[in-house]
Amino acid sequence: MDHNLDQSNSEPEVHEPRIIPRPEHKISRKKVDPDALKVLYRLHRHGFKAFLVGGSVRDLEVGKKPKDFDVGTDARPQQVHKLFRNSRVIGRRFRLVQVFFRGGKIIEVSTFRKASDPDDNEVLGANNTFGSPAEDAMRRDLTINAMFYNIADFSVVDFVDGWDDLKNGRVRAVGDAETRFHRDPVRVLRAVRHAARLGFTLTPETLEAININRHALELCPTSRIRDELLRDLMGGACADWLELAHDTQVLYSLLPTLEPYYGENGSPLRSRARVFMSKVDKAIAKKRELDGSVVLALLFWPILEELAKDIDLPPGRAGRIAWANFVREKLPELASPVAFAKRMLERAHQISGVMAFVLNQEPGLRLPKKITQKGYFDTACELARFLDHNLRALAGPPGKTAQKRRRRPRRRRPRKKPEASAAPEA
């Protein structure tokens, strides 16, 4: 799904596109989702322009598997809807068509748009100012996200010099970077994410615009910030993202609570967090399904370790309970600047809280049933797999509380024999 469009009317000058013919690029239809191809071909057969748009073109060229295959066309939303019975038109300000396929798959089809008049009211249709492919490209966030794949002749169409940026490993904003990020500061996060994910370099003007506009992230809707941050953490390049987000200070615009611990260059706590994030990246590369609460707990775990040094945890069971209470208090404080989903944050401090039981367990001893029967126990075990066992002294030795207690047999009292009834008097 592509949400990287600008809504302003001050755009770079439109110029003739650069056409990269099929022999000069690596994009193969064999790598394109077959249902996306069905949409492209049907639009093309009915006389409409039909392009793959956005990040799918970028990923296919660099050899990555796209998460989404979005389609751009000059057909209007109602025209697209008539071509596909299995579709619906959604959106108020920005109408697009969702085409449904088996397995819950959705291919989104949007009509090329140009910048809307700033005097327009944001009512139904006000921002549905349809335009050309060139005008549509000029409204996107980064040049490497603004190229199109034309199903008519299998060429790549580039209006913004994104091809050169892709081949030279550059992340650059479309048009004036400062203006582009000022109008939507969330683009700051996308620029950092793509640079980390692809191993690219931020151009000087893009880096300067990030520095200027990163403070405005706190003004963005919390739901957008949460979703973008989860994409960073779960995108398969979190370790590199953590370092680049530190270098650009974007990490501390998102989570200022991390700066005292991760902010120094060479911070051992950030290095430890990077080790955890590298493990997450490897797990994602192996197609392992990870609960977001596990990744969230790993991001904050080195800080929890550090803060725990300042408290005196008693040994044994009391220490484990004290650790759980400590995590319940501290983890929400660390994560509070971002409005993480309540369930995810709750699960993160639940599984972090039981680590004092899991990591301090002696071989051959069973964990208490009240731990193993929790609904989140499997998720806690997943977290334990990512953590090393340097915390054995966290709450003292496990002691006998980890063993299954045997119930003492109840001694039954012998039943009293009923007394014989007294004989009646004569």
Side-chain angles (χ1 to χ4, degrees):
M1 187 182 301
D2 196 348
H3 302 288
N4 301 336
L5 301 180
D6 200 344
Q7 324 319 330
S8 62
N9 74 325
S10 176
E11 300 298 330
E13 183 181 352
V14 177
H15 57 77
E16 288 299 313
R18 176 180 177 181
I19 305 297
I20 297 93
R22 177 63 189 93
E24 296 179 18
H25 66 72
K26 302 174 184 177
I27 300 175
S28 168
R29 283 168 290 166
K30 294 179 182 179
K31 300 295 180 66
V32 177
D33 184 277
D35 292 323
L37 285 176
K38 291 177 184 177
V39 174
L40 290 166
Y41 278 126
R42 188 176 297 184
L43 288 166
H44 176 60
R45 285 197 304 267
H46 285 79
F48 297 111
K49 288 184 172 66
F51 294 168
L52 274 183
V53 300
S56 60
V57 180
R58 173 201 69 225
D59 286 346
L60 288 169
E61 179 59 26
V62 299
K64 291 182 176 289
K65 183 179 180 180
K67 292 184 177 179
D68 300 298
F69 289 89
D70 296 330
V71 174
T73 181
D74 57 352
R76 301 299 173 91
Q78 288 301 329
Q79 291 175 311
V80 177
H81 184 46
K82 287 181 180 180
L83 288 178
F84 299 94
R85 291 183 180 180
N86 54 323
S87 70
R88 67 176 180 180
V89 181
I90 65 168
R92 289 181 59 85
R93 291 177 58 201
F94 308 105
R95 300 189 73 101
L96 54 85
V97 179
Q98 290 184 329
V99 185
F100 298 90
F101 294 92
R102 289 181 179 179
K105 186 192 302 179
I106 298 175
I107 302 296
E108 291 196 345
V109 184
S110 59
T111 304
F112 300 130
R113 294 188 178 93
K114 62 182 178 181
S116 55
D117 189 330
D119 295 328
D120 283 342
N121 293 320
E122 292 184 358
V123 295
L124 181 62
N127 282 293
N128 286 300
T129 310
F130 303 118
S132 66
E135 291 169 318
D136 192 84
M138 297 300 173
R139 301 170 67 236
R140 295 179 179 267
D141 57 352
L142 305 172
T143 60
I144 59 175
N145 294 340
M147 295 178 290
F148 305 141
Y149 174 74
N150 187 358
I151 200 64
D153 59 5
F154 317 126
S155 66
V156 173
V157 183
D158 177 19
F159 291 95
V160 294
D161 298 326
W163 186 258
D164 284 342
D165 288 338
L166 191 65
K167 293 304 177 182
N168 290 287
R170 297 188 296 249
V171 171
R172 180 168 59 88
V174 173
D176 180 69
E178 202 285 321
T179 302
R180 190 70 53 175
F181 293 162
H182 175 74
R183 287 170 180 157
D184 186 359
V186 170
R187 293 194 178 106
V188 165
L189 303 183
R190 294 177 186 148
V192 173
R193 179 191 309 136
H194 289 308
R197 181 171 178 256
L198 297 170
F200 284 11
T201 302
L202 295 160
T203 62
E205 65 275 12
T206 303
L207 189 58
E208 182 180 1
I210 288 173
N211 185 55
I212 293 171
N213 292 282
R214 65 181 178 84
H215 303 287
L217 288 170
E218 62 186 25
L219 305 176
C220 297
T222 54
S223 60
R224 292 187 70 198
I225 296 298
R226 177 189 64 224
D227 293 344
E228 294 290 336
L229 181 53
L230 287 176
R231 289 181 187 178
D232 292 328
L233 295 175
M234 305 288 287
C238 186
D240 290 335
W241 172 83
L242 185 68
E243 283 303 307
L244 188 56
H246 160 77
D247 292 341
T248 58
Q249 299 293 293
V250 167
L251 180 62
Y252 311 120
S253 297
L254 288 171
L255 291 164
T257 52
L258 300 188
E259 189 166 11
Y261 308 99
Y262 293 168
E264 293 184 7
N265 289 327
S267 163
L269 297 183
R270 192 178 73 253
S271 297
R272 184 155 168 74
R274 180 180 171 84
V275 170
F276 292 146
M277 296 301 106
S278 295
K279 293 180 180 180
V280 169
D281 293 339
K282 290 177 181 177
I284 292 174
K286 294 178 180 177
K287 310 298 182 185
R288 276 175 57 188
E289 292 288 335
L290 292 183
D291 193 302
S293 63
V294 173
V295 184
L296 193 62
L298 289 169
L299 178 64
F300 297 113
W301 187 265
I303 301 176
L304 293 174
E305 281 185 301
E306 186 68 16
L307 292 174
K309 294 177 181 178
D310 297 330
I311 61 175
D312 186 17
L313 293 175
R317 182 174 180 274
R320 297 186 191 91
I321 295 174
W323 166 259
N325 293 333
F326 165 77
V327 171
R328 180 175 289 275
E329 176 189 355
K330 290 299 180 182
L331 189 57
E333 289 179 4
L334 293 170
S336 61
V338 176
F340 289 106
K342 184 177 180 180
R343 182 182 178 279
M344 179 180 291
L345 188 58
E346 174 74 16
R347 180 58 52 89
H349 69 61
Q350 284 174 335
I351 62 177
S352 298
V354 299
M355 284 302 100
F357 287 90
V358 176
L359 296 182
N360 292 315
Q361 187 64 16
E362 283 187 353
L365 296 183
R366 295 181 180 180
L367 285 167
K369 276 189 176 181
K370 66 179 180 180
I371 299 295
T372 59
Q373 291 180 349
K374 295 290 188 183
Y376 53 80
F377 181 69
D378 287 343
T379 310
C381 290
E382 185 72 21
L383 173 60
R385 293 186 190 102
F386 285 101
L387 296 173
D388 59 36
H389 285 216
N390 292 335
L391 301 180
R392 288 191 179 276
L394 181 66
K400 297 181 180 180
T401 55
Q403 291 179 315
K404 184 177 179 181
R405 293 181 179 179
R406 293 183 178 180
R407 290 186 177 183
R408 295 179 60 186
R410 293 179 62 184
R411 295 182 62 184
R412 294 185 178 182
R413 295 180 179 179
R415 291 183 179 182
K416 292 182 179 181
K417 294 182 179 180
E419 296 180 359
S421 55
E425 293 182 0

